[in-house]
């Protein structure tokens, strides 16, 4: 995908085939189990397809109702500067949705919204993915830490005689502080990439013109982000940090605070390169025939529903997450289980639910409603092949830990080999291991489930501070979202630029690498200069 610019529909089926051959020959897994593990991945890919379907349906519904035209006009009322629009929607709004829902939802929502405002689809996809990194460690109400790192570290923490609650709070602190310091620069970095590849000048100079506002946006998100993380734990830093920051940034833009003197826009559409455009028929944009509040109401409903259904203390999370369609022992393979939590998937509640409500709220005709569904089914077909192959490959690689040869799984083998090769230079690859987990699985939570325990154990063996190492792993898992295959495929499907996945990964590797360098420098300072190891940990007898 990166080297030959292959589309995901071509690259991922071949990758799955290679993984299947290796699983059968090196890991000695029989063909039936290779097929079964891959089929489980196809079932899990269906979850992602539902999210993509719901996000595209919302977009098509709002375009055909005329709401997107009204929203576009409203943003032009605040500012018609594309750089500021990208910060407000891609960074702040995307961070809020990440804090509430996670799992690829922010880029799937923010990307199409940016397209509706007039962004080239490829630019919208790239910038939405870049910005969906800083809030990820505390996304989906803290799931990467509470449901990822802490879940897989239970045995290691117990063996080291550490209080789990103390470790959880310290881990939250040491994820938030370095990430926020680096993340203040993220809005400026994302705008620089956007201007470099999609501006008339093909230069980062227009990004420097908006640097004061971009840094201001990073600060008003990062400050509450750190305060909430260090006082309340991992559940709400991204959600509340973005909520507070979004209000401040919109108010600042309206009042001209730190705004650039000259507005900036993309070249006219007739000058766009072919790969900037949508390759899908996304329908006509309706006329603006409603007020701004009514037009925004679907997104307001989405945000409210995500919040009230993701915070455990409100009670709805347990009710919705308990509604599932289960298949135990898939294809007769013992302990290979699948559950579709249909009511808890963002694709159904709130996306599809709100799309149906919008049909009535915006007074859409039956013909327009039918057209929105027809367009959505047409647009999603291109992503299905790539997702089935990609998630099938990941599940196969995960399940290779169950093999007659007694070998660890493919992913664990890859990470362990890297650790063995580096030795005391291990801090240089802590973050890339986290990025690898997210790149392969499409989830920071899964990356932590895969590698947090390995990182903890390796740190203990090498005499490194475990909490800092696991924090760097978690930040790396978040950075991996910029380039992870599943998220790239998903956002390309929602904005209609299927086939550009390799190009996006190649370009987004630039900010991902810069983020990695910054995280590693901060980590090295914490480990070797400041000597931070705030938790007294007993040596573990492995």
């Amino acid at each position: 995908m990166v080297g030959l610019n292959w589309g995901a529909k071509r690259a991922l089926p071949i990758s799955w085939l290679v993984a299947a051959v290796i699983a059968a020959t090196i890991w000695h897994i029989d063909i039936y189990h290779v097929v079964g593990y891959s089929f489980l991945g196809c079932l899990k890919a269906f979850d992602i397809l539902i999210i993509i379907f719901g996000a595209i349906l919302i977009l098509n519904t709002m375009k055909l109702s005329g709401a997107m035209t009204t929203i576009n006009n409203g943003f032009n009322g605040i500012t018609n500067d594309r750089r500021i629009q990208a910060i407000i929607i891609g960074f702040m709004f995307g961070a809020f949705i990440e804090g509430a829902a996670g799992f690829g939802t922010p880029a799937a929502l923010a990307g199409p919204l940016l397209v509706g405002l007039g962004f080239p689809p490829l630019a919208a996809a790239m910038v939405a993915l870049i910005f969906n990194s800083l809030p990820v460690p505390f996304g989906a109400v803290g799931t990467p830490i509470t449901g990822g790192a802490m879940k897989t570290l239970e045995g290691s923490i117990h063996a080291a005689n550490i209080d789990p609650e103390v470790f959880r709070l310290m881990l939250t602190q040491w994820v938030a502080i370095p990430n926020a310091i680096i993340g203040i620069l993220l809005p400026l970095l994302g705008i620089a990439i956007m201007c470099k590849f999609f501006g008339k000048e093909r230069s980062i100079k227009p990004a420097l013109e908006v640097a004061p506002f971009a840094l201001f946006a990073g600060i008003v998100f990062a400050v509450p982000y750190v305060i909430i993380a260090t006082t309340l734990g991992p559940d709400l830093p991204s959600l509340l940090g973005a909520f507070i920051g979004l209000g401040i940034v919109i108010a600042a833009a309206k009042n001209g605070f730190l705004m650039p003197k000259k507005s900036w826009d993309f070249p006219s559409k007739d000058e766009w390169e072919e790969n900037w455009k949508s390759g899908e028929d996304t329908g006509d944009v309706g006329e603006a025939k409603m007020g701004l509040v009514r037009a925004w109401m679907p997104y307001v409903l989405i945000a409210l529903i995500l919040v009230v259904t993701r915070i455990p203390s409100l009670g709805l999370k347990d009710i919705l997450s308990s509604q599932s369609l289960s298949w135990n022992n898939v294809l007769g393979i013992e302990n290979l289980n699948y559950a579709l939590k249909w009511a808890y998937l963002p694709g159904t509640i709130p996306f599809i639910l709100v799309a149906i409500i919008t049909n009535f709220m915006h007074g859409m005709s039956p013909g327009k409603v039918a057209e929105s569904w027809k367009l959505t089914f047409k647009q999603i077909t291109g992503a299905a092949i790539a997702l089935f192959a990609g998630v099938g490959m990941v599940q196969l690689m995960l399940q290779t830990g169950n093999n007659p040869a007694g070998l660890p799984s493919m992913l664990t083998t890859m990470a362990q080999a890297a650790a063995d090769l580096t030795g005391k230079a291990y801090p240089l690859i802590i973050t890339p291991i986290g990025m690898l987990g997210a790149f392969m699985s499409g989830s920071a939570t899964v990356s932590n489930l895969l590698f947090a325990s390995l990182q903890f154990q390796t740190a203990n063996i090498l005499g490194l501070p475990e909490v800092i190492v696991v924090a760097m792993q978690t930040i790396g898992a978040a950075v991996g979202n910029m380039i992870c295959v599943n998220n790239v495929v998903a956002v390309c499907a929602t904005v209609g630029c299927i086939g550009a996945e390799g190009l996006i990964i190649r370009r987004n590797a630039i900010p991902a690498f810069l983020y990695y360098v910054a995280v590693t420098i901060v980590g090295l300072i914490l480990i070797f200069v400041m000597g931070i190891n705030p938790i007294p940990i007993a040596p573990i007898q492995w």
Side-chain angles (χ1 to χ4, degrees), residues 84-343:
I84 306 300
Q85 290 177 349
I87 291 171
I88 293 173
I89 295 297
F91 180 63
M92 284 296 186
F93 180 71
F96 178 80
I97 298 301
E98 174 63 39
F103 297 100
T105 308
L109 273 179
L113 184 53
L114 291 172
V115 171
L117 295 174
F119 281 58
L122 185 64
M126 283 179 57
V127 77
L129 288 164
I130 291 169
F131 287 149
N132 189 34
S133 49
L134 174 59
V136 168
F138 307 118
V141 201
T143 302
I145 288 181
T146 56
M150 295 305 298
K151 188 73 68 176
T152 193
L153 286 172
E154 288 176 353
S156 300
I157 290 174
H158 177 74
N161 297 318
I162 308 170
D163 184 331
E165 183 62 17
V166 171
F167 190 89
R168 185 179 74 93
L169 293 175
M170 294 303 297
L171 176 61
T172 301
Q173 171 184 316
W174 289 111
V175 168
I177 294 174
N179 206 26
I181 293 171
I182 300 164
I184 288 172
L185 298 172
L186 183 65
L188 179 59
L189 178 60
I191 298 303
I193 295 293
M194 185 179 78
C195 292
K196 175 65 177 175
F197 289 110
F198 299 97
K200 295 177 184 178
E201 311 87 345
R202 298 301 176 96
S203 166
I204 66 169
K205 186 177 178 181
L208 299 178
E209 295 170 0
V210 79
F213 190 91
L215 294 173
F216 171 73
I219 290 169
V220 297
F221 174 81
V223 171
Y225 177 87
V226 171
I227 293 173
I228 294 164
T230 54
T231 56
L232 300 179
D235 294 343
L236 298 173
S238 294
L239 185 68
L240 294 184
F243 180 77
I244 294 167
L246 183 61
I248 295 173
V249 165
I250 290 176
K254 282 186 174 181
N255 289 283
F257 180 69
L258 297 178
M259 292 284 281
K261 294 179 180 179
K262 294 182 180 179
S263 184
W264 182 87
D265 201 351
F266 300 103
S268 59
K269 287 190 177 181
D270 57 358
E271 298 179 46
W272 287 4
E273 296 179 14
E274 199 58 36
N275 62 9
W276 293 15
K277 305 173 185 177
S278 173
E280 302 287 335
D281 176 16
T282 56
D284 297 325
V285 179
E287 297 180 3
K289 52 186 178 182
M290 65 186 72
L292 196 58
V293 172
R294 187 176 165 204
W296 267 102
M297 193 52 63
Y299 282 115
V300 173
L301 285 175
I302 287 171
L304 289 174
I305 292 171
L306 285 172
V307 171
V308 300
T309 57
R310 264 58 186 177
I311 297 177
S313 59
L314 296 180
L316 286 175
K317 179 178 181 179
D318 291 339
I319 295 173
L320 293 179
S321 60
S322 64
Q323 309 301 313
S324 66
L325 300 173
S326 300
W327 185 358
N328 294 329
N329 300 327
V330 173
L331 298 183
I333 298 176
E334 190 174 352
N335 297 322
L336 197 67
N337 304 322
Y338 169 72
L340 174 63
K341 296 186 177 182
W342 60 270

Side-chain angles (χ1 to χ4, degrees), residues 18 23 44 102 121 149 157 170 177 194 274 391 411 482 502 510 523:
V18 172
K44 290 181 178 291
I157 290 174
M170 294 303 297
I177 294 174
M194 185 179 78
E274 199 58 36
V391 183
L411 289 176
M482 294 187 191
I510 298 169

